[in-house]
Amino acid sequence: MRLSPDALIFWQHGFLKLNATIVFTWGLMLVLALGSRLITRKLSTDLKRSRWQNLLEIIVTGIEKQIADAGLRDPKRYLGFLGTLFLFIATADLCTVIPGYEPPTGSLSTTVALALCVFVAVPLFGIWDQGMGGYLRSYTEPTVIMLPFNIISELSRTLALSVRLFGNMMSGVMIIGILLTITPFIFPVVMTALGLLTGMVQAYIFTILAAVYIAAATRVSKPDPEPGPAPKT
């Protein structure tokens, strides 16, 4: 049993390797790109819209509401990044029903790459919202003593994101593989369905955590309002 899709090598020349993680990752990106193009090719701005477009708008509106609930102002600004994260992780899990497919999120290299995307996006959105000076000052709040702790926090939560997603996805695949060898067919089918649900939950958790981290970076400190004149008696 393979612990990671990295172990499945399709082609190798010297130190160059084309493994299942690379193949399935690029395959997923191609499916998402073509799917988004096909889904959105006939959208209309008229009052009369198709049921399919109404369903898409309900989904997008729901995602925007979740982003806003995480503490982000102007959710549309972050919809492209956070929505793409969710769709990639969710699609990687849903495709596990395809024979021969192994989710790239079962590889630590993929989950580290996803976590690094969040690691880079947090300061970018923070600088975009607060400016370079305002964002850098947030590392020294409430005192400059907090600078090393804030830096450690940035690094540790990136590691936690990658390891959490990798562990949950890999463990689900391994459990299903073990059950297929020692139990009848019907029980692994039930576990596969449960694994799909778990994968969707992990996609949601990863996306919400990314939104929370970005919300913390884009938080603008506003001065307390000056007290007004005392009311006349």
Side-chain angles (χ1 to χ4, degrees), residues 35-46 48-54 56-57:
S36 63
R37 177 60 180 172
L38 293 174
I39 290 173
T40 59
R41 73 185 189 283
K42 293 183 178 180
L43 297 182
S44 173
T45 57
D46 298 333
K48 186 178 180 181
R49 304 175 184 180
S50 65
R51 293 181 178 179
W52 176 248
Q53 182 171 341
N54 288 331
L56 285 178
E57 291 183 359

Side-chain angles (χ1 to χ4, degrees), residues 81 85 111-124 158 206:
F81 175 69
L85 277 180
T111 57
V112 168
L114 292 172
L116 287 176
C117 289
V118 178
F119 180 75
V120 173
V122 168
L124 288 180
T158 302
F206 190 96

Side-chain angles (χ1 to χ4, degrees), residues 79-93:
L79 181 62
F81 175 69
L82 295 175
T84 301
L85 277 180
F86 176 81
L87 286 176
F88 180 84
I89 299 173
T91 305
D93 175 69

Side-chain angles (χ1 to χ4, degrees), residues 39-216:
I39 290 173
T40 59
R41 73 185 189 283
K42 293 183 178 180
L43 297 182
S44 173
T45 57
D46 298 333
L47 294 177
K48 186 178 180 181
R49 304 175 184 180
S50 65
R51 293 181 178 179
W52 176 248
Q53 182 171 341
N54 288 331
L55 175 60
L56 285 178
E57 291 183 359
I58 290 173
I59 294 174
V60 172
T61 302
I63 295 175
E64 288 182 353
K65 185 178 183 302
Q66 291 295 317
I67 295 175
D69 290 342
L72 287 169
R73 302 184 306 274
D74 190 13
K76 292 182 179 180
R77 177 188 296 183
Y78 313 97
L79 181 62
F81 175 69
L82 295 175
T84 301
L85 277 180
F86 176 81
L87 286 176
F88 180 84
I89 299 173
T91 305
D93 175 69
L94 291 176
C95 290
T96 53
V97 297
I98 301 176
Y101 169 85
E102 295 188 20
T105 46
S107 167
L108 186 59
S109 59
T110 302
T111 57
V112 168
L114 292 172
L116 287 176
C117 289
V118 178
F119 180 75
V120 173
V122 168
L124 288 180
F125 282 119
I127 294 171
W128 185 10
D129 194 81
Q130 301 187 59
M132 179 67 74
Y135 177 74
L136 293 179
R137 279 196 301 271
S138 66
Y139 280 90
T140 60
E141 293 178 352
T143 66
V144 71
I145 299 176
M146 295 300 299
L147 176 61
F149 299 102
N150 286 328
I151 294 176
I152 292 174
S153 174
E154 292 277 351
L155 298 175
S156 62
R157 70 189 185 189
T158 302
L159 177 62
L161 272 178
S162 60
V163 173
R164 180 191 293 110
L165 181 61
F166 165 71
N168 287 316
M169 299 301 293
M170 185 193 70
S171 61
V173 174
M174 289 187 61
I175 290 174
I176 293 173
I178 293 173
L179 291 175
L180 281 172
T181 61
I182 62 176
T183 62
F185 180 73
I186 187 64
F187 190 65
V189 169
V190 176
M191 292 301 299
T192 300
L194 182 60
L196 293 177
L197 176 61
T198 303
M200 295 297 292
V201 172
Q202 292 304 319
Y204 175 79
I205 292 174
F206 190 96
T207 306
I208 290 298
L209 286 175
V212 170
Y213 296 156
I214 294 174

